[in-house]
Short mmCIF file of all heavy atoms in Angstrom, two decimals:
data_model
loop_
_atom_site.label_atom_id
_atom_site.label_comp_id
_atom_site.label_asym_id
_atom_site.label_seq_id
_atom_site.Cartn_x
_atom_site.Cartn_y
_atom_site.Cartn_z
N THR A 1 195.34 -17.41 -60.56
CA THR A 1 194.29 -16.86 -61.44
C THR A 1 193.55 -15.70 -60.75
O THR A 1 193.03 -14.86 -61.46
CB THR A 1 193.23 -17.94 -61.79
OG1 THR A 1 192.70 -18.48 -60.62
CG2 THR A 1 193.87 -19.07 -62.56
N MET A 2 193.55 -15.61 -59.47
CA MET A 2 192.85 -14.56 -58.73
C MET A 2 193.75 -13.31 -58.62
O MET A 2 193.25 -12.21 -58.35
CB MET A 2 192.44 -15.04 -57.36
CG MET A 2 191.32 -15.99 -57.38
SD MET A 2 189.85 -15.38 -58.25
CE MET A 2 189.25 -14.25 -57.12
N ALA A 3 195.06 -13.47 -58.80
CA ALA A 3 195.93 -12.32 -58.63
C ALA A 3 195.82 -11.37 -59.83
O ALA A 3 195.65 -11.83 -60.99
CB ALA A 3 197.38 -12.80 -58.48
N GLY A 4 195.83 -10.09 -59.55
CA GLY A 4 195.77 -9.10 -60.62
C GLY A 4 197.12 -8.81 -61.22
O GLY A 4 198.18 -9.27 -60.67
N SER A 5 197.10 -8.13 -62.31
CA SER A 5 198.40 -7.76 -62.91
C SER A 5 198.94 -6.64 -62.15
O SER A 5 198.26 -5.82 -61.54
CB SER A 5 198.21 -7.42 -64.40
OG SER A 5 197.54 -6.19 -64.50
N PRO A 6 200.31 -6.45 -62.24
CA PRO A 6 200.91 -5.29 -61.52
C PRO A 6 200.39 -3.98 -62.08
O PRO A 6 200.20 -3.00 -61.35
CB PRO A 6 202.41 -5.45 -61.85
CG PRO A 6 202.57 -6.91 -62.08
CD PRO A 6 201.32 -7.38 -62.69
N PHE A 7 200.12 -3.88 -63.42
CA PHE A 7 199.57 -2.71 -64.01
C PHE A 7 198.20 -2.38 -63.40
O PHE A 7 198.00 -1.23 -62.93
CB PHE A 7 199.44 -2.87 -65.51
CG PHE A 7 198.63 -1.78 -66.15
CD1 PHE A 7 199.30 -0.54 -66.45
CD2 PHE A 7 197.30 -1.88 -66.51
CE1 PHE A 7 198.57 0.51 -67.07
CE2 PHE A 7 196.64 -0.86 -67.11
CZ PHE A 7 197.24 0.33 -67.36
N CYS A 8 197.30 -3.29 -63.35
CA CYS A 8 195.96 -3.03 -62.78
C CYS A 8 196.02 -2.81 -61.30
O CYS A 8 195.31 -1.91 -60.85
CB CYS A 8 195.03 -4.25 -63.09
SG CYS A 8 194.59 -4.43 -64.83
N ASP A 9 196.87 -3.49 -60.61
CA ASP A 9 196.98 -3.29 -59.16
C ASP A 9 197.39 -1.87 -58.81
O ASP A 9 196.81 -1.25 -57.98
CB ASP A 9 197.93 -4.32 -58.55
CG ASP A 9 197.34 -5.70 -58.53
OD1 ASP A 9 196.14 -5.89 -58.74
OD2 ASP A 9 198.16 -6.66 -58.27
N SER A 10 198.40 -1.38 -59.55
CA SER A 10 198.90 -0.05 -59.25
C SER A 10 197.88 1.03 -59.66
O SER A 10 197.62 1.99 -58.96
CB SER A 10 200.23 0.20 -59.91
OG SER A 10 200.12 0.18 -61.34
N LYS A 11 197.29 0.88 -60.88
CA LYS A 11 196.30 1.86 -61.39
C LYS A 11 195.08 1.88 -60.47
O LYS A 11 194.53 2.93 -60.16
CB LYS A 11 195.93 1.57 -62.80
CG LYS A 11 197.07 1.77 -63.78
CD LYS A 11 197.31 3.23 -63.99
CE LYS A 11 198.31 3.47 -65.08
NZ LYS A 11 198.59 4.86 -65.34
N CYS A 12 194.60 0.69 -60.08
CA CYS A 12 193.39 0.65 -59.23
C CYS A 12 193.69 1.16 -57.79
O CYS A 12 192.82 1.72 -57.18
CB CYS A 12 192.85 -0.78 -59.21
SG CYS A 12 192.07 -1.26 -60.76
N GLY A 13 194.92 0.95 -57.36
CA GLY A 13 195.30 1.47 -56.08
C GLY A 13 195.17 2.99 -55.98
O GLY A 13 194.68 3.55 -55.02
N VAL A 14 195.55 3.65 -57.10
CA VAL A 14 195.40 5.09 -57.18
C VAL A 14 193.97 5.49 -57.34
O VAL A 14 193.41 6.36 -56.65
CB VAL A 14 196.23 5.66 -58.42
CG1 VAL A 14 195.92 7.14 -58.62
CG2 VAL A 14 197.72 5.47 -58.15
N ARG A 15 193.23 4.74 -58.26
CA ARG A 15 191.84 5.05 -58.47
C ARG A 15 191.02 4.94 -57.23
O ARG A 15 190.05 5.70 -57.01
CB ARG A 15 191.28 4.10 -59.61
CG ARG A 15 189.90 4.36 -60.03
CD ARG A 15 189.80 5.53 -60.97
NE ARG A 15 188.46 5.75 -61.42
CZ ARG A 15 188.07 6.82 -62.11
NH1 ARG A 15 188.99 7.72 -62.44
NH2 ARG A 15 186.86 6.99 -62.49
N CYS A 16 191.28 3.94 -56.39
CA CYS A 16 190.47 3.68 -55.22
C CYS A 16 191.02 4.21 -53.92
O CYS A 16 190.53 3.93 -52.85
CB CYS A 16 190.30 2.17 -55.14
SG CYS A 16 189.41 1.38 -56.47
N SER A 17 192.06 5.05 -54.02
CA SER A 17 192.74 5.55 -52.82
C SER A 17 191.83 6.36 -51.85
O SER A 17 191.98 6.35 -50.67
CB SER A 17 193.96 6.38 -53.18
OG SER A 17 193.56 7.59 -53.91
N LYS A 18 190.81 6.99 -52.41
CA LYS A 18 189.90 7.79 -51.56
C LYS A 18 188.50 7.17 -51.46
O LYS A 18 187.58 7.77 -50.94
CB LYS A 18 189.76 9.16 -52.14
CG LYS A 18 191.10 9.98 -52.11
CD LYS A 18 190.87 11.42 -52.58
CE LYS A 18 192.16 12.16 -52.47
NZ LYS A 18 192.03 13.56 -53.00
N ALA A 19 188.33 5.96 -51.89
CA ALA A 19 187.04 5.25 -51.88
C ALA A 19 186.59 4.97 -50.45
O ALA A 19 187.42 4.58 -49.63
CB ALA A 19 187.07 3.98 -52.66
N GLY A 20 185.33 5.06 -50.20
CA GLY A 20 184.79 4.75 -48.87
C GLY A 20 184.79 3.22 -48.65
O GLY A 20 185.02 2.80 -47.52
N TYR A 21 184.56 2.45 -49.69
CA TYR A 21 184.59 0.98 -49.62
C TYR A 21 185.70 0.53 -50.49
O TYR A 21 185.53 0.09 -51.60
CB TYR A 21 183.26 0.42 -50.05
CG TYR A 21 182.08 0.80 -49.21
CD1 TYR A 21 181.25 1.87 -49.55
CD2 TYR A 21 181.82 0.17 -48.03
CE1 TYR A 21 180.14 2.28 -48.78
CE2 TYR A 21 180.76 0.51 -47.20
CZ TYR A 21 179.96 1.59 -47.60
OH TYR A 21 178.89 1.94 -46.80
N LYS A 22 186.93 0.64 -49.96
CA LYS A 22 188.13 0.38 -50.73
C LYS A 22 188.20 -1.04 -51.31
O LYS A 22 188.57 -1.18 -52.49
CB LYS A 22 189.38 0.67 -49.92
CG LYS A 22 190.64 0.63 -50.72
CD LYS A 22 191.82 1.09 -49.97
CE LYS A 22 191.88 2.63 -50.08
NZ LYS A 22 193.05 3.25 -49.57
N GLU A 23 187.88 -2.04 -50.56
CA GLU A 23 187.96 -3.44 -51.05
C GLU A 23 187.04 -3.68 -52.24
O GLU A 23 187.38 -4.29 -53.19
CB GLU A 23 187.66 -4.43 -49.92
CG GLU A 23 188.70 -4.49 -48.83
CD GLU A 23 190.06 -4.93 -49.38
OE1 GLU A 23 190.14 -5.88 -50.18
OE2 GLU A 23 191.05 -4.29 -48.99
N ARG A 24 185.81 -3.15 -52.12
CA ARG A 24 184.83 -3.29 -53.28
C ARG A 24 185.32 -2.52 -54.48
O ARG A 24 185.27 -3.00 -55.59
CB ARG A 24 183.45 -2.83 -52.81
CG ARG A 24 182.42 -3.07 -53.86
CD ARG A 24 181.01 -2.87 -53.36
NE ARG A 24 180.87 -1.48 -52.81
CZ ARG A 24 179.73 -1.16 -52.24
NH1 ARG A 24 178.69 -1.91 -52.18
NH2 ARG A 24 179.61 0.13 -51.80
N CYS A 25 185.87 -1.34 -54.26
CA CYS A 25 186.39 -0.50 -55.37
C CYS A 25 187.51 -1.24 -56.06
O CYS A 25 187.48 -1.33 -57.28
CB CYS A 25 186.86 0.82 -54.84
SG CYS A 25 187.48 1.93 -56.12
N LEU A 26 188.47 -1.80 -55.26
CA LEU A 26 189.56 -2.48 -55.87
C LEU A 26 189.15 -3.76 -56.65
O LEU A 26 189.65 -4.06 -57.71
CB LEU A 26 190.58 -2.88 -54.78
CG LEU A 26 191.37 -1.76 -54.14
CD1 LEU A 26 192.14 -2.26 -52.87
CD2 LEU A 26 192.31 -1.16 -55.18
N LYS A 27 188.12 -4.43 -56.08
CA LYS A 27 187.61 -5.62 -56.78
C LYS A 27 187.03 -5.25 -58.16
O LYS A 27 187.43 -5.85 -59.17
CB LYS A 27 186.48 -6.31 -55.91
CG LYS A 27 185.81 -7.42 -56.59
CD LYS A 27 184.71 -7.94 -55.75
CE LYS A 27 183.88 -9.05 -56.51
NZ LYS A 27 182.74 -9.49 -55.74
N TYR A 28 186.15 -4.31 -58.17
CA TYR A 28 185.49 -3.96 -59.45
C TYR A 28 186.45 -3.24 -60.43
O TYR A 28 186.38 -3.43 -61.63
CB TYR A 28 184.19 -3.16 -59.24
CG TYR A 28 183.14 -4.09 -58.71
CD1 TYR A 28 182.71 -4.02 -57.38
CD2 TYR A 28 182.56 -5.03 -59.51
CE1 TYR A 28 181.77 -4.86 -56.90
CE2 TYR A 28 181.58 -5.91 -59.04
CZ TYR A 28 181.17 -5.83 -57.68
OH TYR A 28 180.26 -6.68 -57.22
N CYS A 29 187.31 -2.42 -59.92
CA CYS A 29 188.33 -1.76 -60.75
C CYS A 29 189.23 -2.83 -61.34
O CYS A 29 189.56 -2.73 -62.54
CB CYS A 29 189.14 -0.77 -59.89
SG CYS A 29 190.41 0.09 -60.88
N GLY A 30 189.62 -3.83 -60.60
CA GLY A 30 190.42 -4.87 -61.13
C GLY A 30 189.75 -5.68 -62.22
O GLY A 30 190.38 -6.03 -63.25
N ILE A 31 188.45 -5.94 -62.04
CA ILE A 31 187.68 -6.66 -63.08
C ILE A 31 187.67 -5.83 -64.35
O ILE A 31 187.90 -6.32 -65.49
CB ILE A 31 186.22 -6.96 -62.56
CG1 ILE A 31 186.29 -8.02 -61.47
CG2 ILE A 31 185.38 -7.40 -63.76
CD1 ILE A 31 184.99 -8.17 -60.73
N CYS A 32 187.36 -4.52 -64.18
CA CYS A 32 187.25 -3.66 -65.35
C CYS A 32 188.56 -3.49 -66.08
O CYS A 32 188.66 -3.47 -67.28
CB CYS A 32 186.70 -2.30 -64.92
SG CYS A 32 184.99 -2.41 -64.32
N CYS A 33 189.63 -3.31 -65.27
CA CYS A 33 191.00 -3.16 -65.81
C CYS A 33 191.42 -4.41 -66.59
O CYS A 33 191.99 -4.26 -67.68
CB CYS A 33 191.96 -2.87 -64.70
SG CYS A 33 193.64 -2.68 -65.31
N SER A 34 191.11 -5.54 -66.08
CA SER A 34 191.53 -6.79 -66.78
C SER A 34 190.79 -6.97 -68.11
O SER A 34 191.30 -7.49 -69.08
CB SER A 34 191.32 -8.04 -65.92
OG SER A 34 189.99 -8.23 -65.60
N LYS A 35 189.51 -6.44 -68.19
CA LYS A 35 188.74 -6.56 -69.39
C LYS A 35 189.19 -5.46 -70.37
O LYS A 35 189.22 -5.71 -71.59
CB LYS A 35 187.27 -6.38 -69.08
CG LYS A 35 186.70 -7.62 -68.47
CD LYS A 35 185.16 -7.46 -68.29
CE LYS A 35 184.60 -8.67 -67.65
NZ LYS A 35 183.14 -8.60 -67.43
N CYS A 36 189.48 -4.26 -69.90
CA CYS A 36 189.72 -3.10 -70.79
C CYS A 36 191.20 -2.71 -70.93
O CYS A 36 191.53 -1.97 -71.83
CB CYS A 36 188.96 -1.90 -70.18
SG CYS A 36 187.22 -2.15 -70.12
N ASN A 37 192.07 -3.25 -70.07
CA ASN A 37 193.48 -2.89 -70.04
C ASN A 37 193.75 -1.39 -69.86
O ASN A 37 194.69 -0.88 -70.48
CB ASN A 37 194.18 -3.42 -71.32
CG ASN A 37 194.16 -4.93 -71.32
OD1 ASN A 37 194.41 -5.59 -70.35
ND2 ASN A 37 193.79 -5.49 -72.50
N CYS A 38 192.86 -0.70 -69.18
CA CYS A 38 193.09 0.69 -68.86
C CYS A 38 192.21 1.04 -67.70
O CYS A 38 191.22 0.43 -67.37
CB CYS A 38 192.77 1.58 -70.08
SG CYS A 38 191.00 1.62 -70.55
N VAL A 39 192.69 2.09 -66.99
CA VAL A 39 191.97 2.68 -65.86
C VAL A 39 192.11 4.20 -65.97
O VAL A 39 193.20 4.72 -66.19
CB VAL A 39 192.59 2.21 -64.48
CG1 VAL A 39 191.90 2.92 -63.35
CG2 VAL A 39 192.48 0.75 -64.35
N PRO A 40 190.99 4.91 -65.86
CA PRO A 40 191.11 6.39 -65.94
C PRO A 40 191.96 6.99 -64.89
O PRO A 40 192.06 6.44 -63.77
CB PRO A 40 189.63 6.83 -65.78
CG PRO A 40 188.81 5.63 -66.08
CD PRO A 40 189.61 4.48 -65.73
N SER A 41 192.58 8.12 -65.13
CA SER A 41 193.43 8.76 -64.14
C SER A 41 192.62 9.37 -63.06
O SER A 41 191.43 9.66 -63.21
CB SER A 41 194.31 9.79 -64.87
OG SER A 41 193.48 10.83 -65.34
N GLY A 42 193.24 9.64 -61.91
CA GLY A 42 192.57 10.26 -60.83
C GLY A 42 191.70 9.35 -59.98
O GLY A 42 191.67 8.10 -60.24
#
Protein backbone atom coordinates (compact mmCIF):
# COMPACT_ATOMS: atom_id res chain seq x y z
CA THR A 1 0.00 0.00 0.00
CA MET A 2 2.92 2.38 0.55
CA ALA A 3 4.52 1.65 -2.82
CA GLY A 4 3.85 4.18 -5.55
CA SER A 5 2.82 3.38 -9.07
CA PRO A 6 5.53 3.15 -11.73
CA PHE A 7 3.92 6.12 -13.51
CA CYS A 8 4.05 8.36 -10.44
CA ASP A 9 7.50 7.17 -9.41
CA SER A 10 9.01 8.01 -12.78
CA LYS A 11 7.21 11.36 -13.19
CA CYS A 12 8.03 12.44 -9.62
CA GLY A 13 11.64 11.35 -10.09
CA VAL A 14 11.94 13.85 -12.93
CA ARG A 15 9.93 16.53 -11.10
CA CYS A 16 12.08 16.27 -7.97
CA SER A 17 15.46 15.70 -9.65
CA LYS A 18 16.73 19.18 -8.70
CA ALA A 19 14.93 19.55 -5.37
CA GLY A 20 16.94 20.56 -2.31
CA TYR A 21 14.90 18.19 -0.11
CA LYS A 22 14.45 15.30 -2.53
CA GLU A 23 12.78 12.84 -0.10
CA ARG A 24 10.14 15.37 0.92
CA CYS A 25 9.56 16.38 -2.70
CA LEU A 26 9.11 12.74 -3.74
CA LYS A 27 6.70 12.12 -0.85
CA TYR A 28 4.38 15.02 -1.64
CA CYS A 29 4.67 14.60 -5.40
CA GLY A 30 3.66 10.94 -4.97
CA ILE A 31 0.66 11.91 -2.85
CA CYS A 32 -0.43 14.50 -5.41
CA CYS A 33 0.16 12.17 -8.35
CA SER A 34 -1.88 9.37 -6.80
CA LYS A 35 -4.79 11.77 -6.24
CA CYS A 36 -4.58 13.55 -9.61
CA ASN A 37 -3.01 10.92 -11.90
CA CYS A 38 -0.76 13.56 -13.43
CA VAL A 39 2.45 15.46 -12.72
CA PRO A 40 3.46 18.65 -14.54
CA SER A 41 6.48 18.40 -16.83
CA GLY A 42 9.85 19.77 -15.84
